[in-house]
Amino acid sequence: MKQFAIAIHGGAGTILRSTMSPENEMNYKKGLEEAILAGDAILSSGGTALDAVEAAVKKLEDNPLFNAGRGAVFTNEGKNEMDSSIMNGQNLMAGAVTGINNIKNPISLARAVMEKSEHVFLSGSGAIEFAKKMKLEFAPDEYFFVQERYDQLLQAKESDHMVLDHSILRSTNTALGDAENKTPTSKKGTVGAVALDIHGNIAAATSTGGMTNKKFGRVGDSPVIGAGTYANNNTCAVSCTGHGEFFIRAVAAYDISCLMEYKGLSLNKACDEVVHQKLVKLGGEGGLIAIDAEGNIEMPFNSEGMYRASRKSGGEVYIGIYND
Amino acid sequence: MKQFAIAIHGGAGTILRSTMSPENEMNYKKGLEEAILAGDAILSSGGTALDAVEAAVKKLEDNPLFNAGRGAVFTNEGKNEMDSSIMNGQNLMAGAVTGINNIKNPISLARAVMEKSEHVFLSGSGAIEFAKKMKLEFAPDEYFFVQERYDQLLQAKESDHMVLDHSILRSTNTALGDAENKTPTSKKGTVGAVALDIHGNIAAATSTGGMTNKKFGRVGDSPVIGAGTYANNNTCAVSCTGHGEFFIRAVAAYDISCLMEYKGLSLNKACDEVVHQKLVKLGGEGGLIAIDAEGNIEMPFNSEGMYRASRKSGGEVYIGIYND
């Protein structure tokens, strides 16, 4: 039987065992397991890596625990603004959207951009107009509304701080810092998936709800091909999560591919160089998941934790949260 | 005396001597010369590469002949939507904006994002709000209105085609194709600059007015760090122009940097591989300008022409348009 494999992440950041309730931990693990199994089911029945990463990311988008799709955080204006991207390693086709709202599954919109438009990257109201034409599923504001996310916004607004993805507030306001530490569920960020199918093709997908209290239409790395997402059968498929600005400046996802293609590094060594050397040197906190055409999987992070799971060729499901 | 050097482009595409009037040719050459001299003046007096690329791009933005700033093309809705980005090779800092309007010099907004925000990439109305806070110069719709650009929109709408950057309409409508061929001035795209200063630092900047009749909030490669713009003192500074979708999928600007850093290629060989091999294989028409820390300059393109100019250490000004 030919190999297949999948890995997913539900965000990296300050995720500590000491601040996580057993109930929360169980819920996260359950959410990760559902997503990995959704992707795995497609791969094990001969489906494509592209279908598998989309299915896995949709599960994570549908789960309000994760900051993507339902559960997306609120901007300063009290809106959801979501980003996503997808790339097919077989032909280097890619699709991405930024600044969208009311789309139930942003990853499916990215895929529609890739497959049904002449473009790679659409933004804002124009992207939503395209989604309507493509008859994608919309959902009302209430669907996306999660009380806890809204409370996060009110909290963040009070201190006028943006909450970057899933990290602690970079604030000297210790009162708020403490409040954040008491609600570890408020720190989840970007979700993503990478997969290898039995046909030897790999793909990557990333989706995010951005950051709480964000202003100015900030775009992170998630919809940026090369930064947050990249896939190429010759090297690897990568989905990133973390402090997006640094991942953009490092062109992180494509850098791993280049280190493999041009410098001959293994997936493991390339991931190590980008996550533990280059990003650390720049000051960029986060992690990523990566897969190569041999089915090797890496899930490195330089933050305190990263929600993650993987499964190879129907073997044991691995689920991890902390840095141990 | 230490070396300094600068190169600029005013867009690549179907630019043929046979369809260019002597008057048009003279106007383009004059515009390119003004821009290269503006950047060169900064470098020759000991200024930074960052200041030089911004100054050169501002000149091109202010010139209605080029599709950036004043002279930006119209979207399907009759609006200007502009993108820009800038990167500092000294520290890998970067700034970018997409989907903005009424900002006189989009490149200066990208620079403000880089230097005065925590972010790298801002979009749409949020980016404009940031511009107001930063007290950037705004200009009314009339400033951007160029009759010829508007006529292009009406023409394109008639046939329901988008005009990608500065290429001919990819249409089988020969009547319109002919009309396009009669107005070569309608085909100009993205502008950009790369420079090396006497301090040994390099920088890159790119600015565009997008494509005529564009819909769906399409984002090209110009504001995407790694695709349309990249700078790193260890390798090169790059600004791209062309069919943006392919430059995004190829992560074109950063690919040149990686080919130099990881594979040991010269700037010349790295540019050749990306522009004449990889992009051609993908089907991506266009070109780029690149500079390294030794002051080597490359200006390759796989299209029929590219508006371009360069000057090294106060030497002769080179100006080119066609592929000869």
Side-chain angles (χ1 to χ4, degrees), chain A residues 91-93 118-123 126-127 170 211 216-219 245 249 254-255 258-259 262 278, chain B residues 91-93 118-123 126-127 170 211 216-219 245 249 254-255 258-259 262 278:
Chain A
N91 54 16
L92 304 184
M93 293 291 282
E118 289 184 277
H119 304 304
V120 168
F121 197 1
L122 303 184
S123 67
R170 295 183 305 157
M211 53 198 229
F216 306 134
R218 177 251 186 188
V219 183
E245 278 73 8
R249 290 168 55 202
Y254 188 56
D255 200 28
C258 288
L259 284 165
Y262 303 145
K278 290 177 134 188
Chain B
N91 53 17
L92 304 184
M93 292 291 283
E118 291 183 274
H119 304 304
V120 168
F121 197 2
L122 302 183
S123 67
R170 295 183 307 156
M211 51 199 233
F216 307 134
R218 177 251 187 186
V219 183
E245 278 72 9
R249 292 167 55 201
Y254 188 56
D255 200 28
C258 288
L259 284 165
Y262 303 145
K278 290 177 134 188

Side-chain angles (χ1 to χ4, degrees), chain A residues 178-195:
Chain A
D178 285 351
E180 272 291 303
N181 283 333
K182 281 178 199 142
T183 55
T185 53
S186 66
K187 293 161 194 163
K188 314 308 136 346
T190 308
V191 308
V194 294

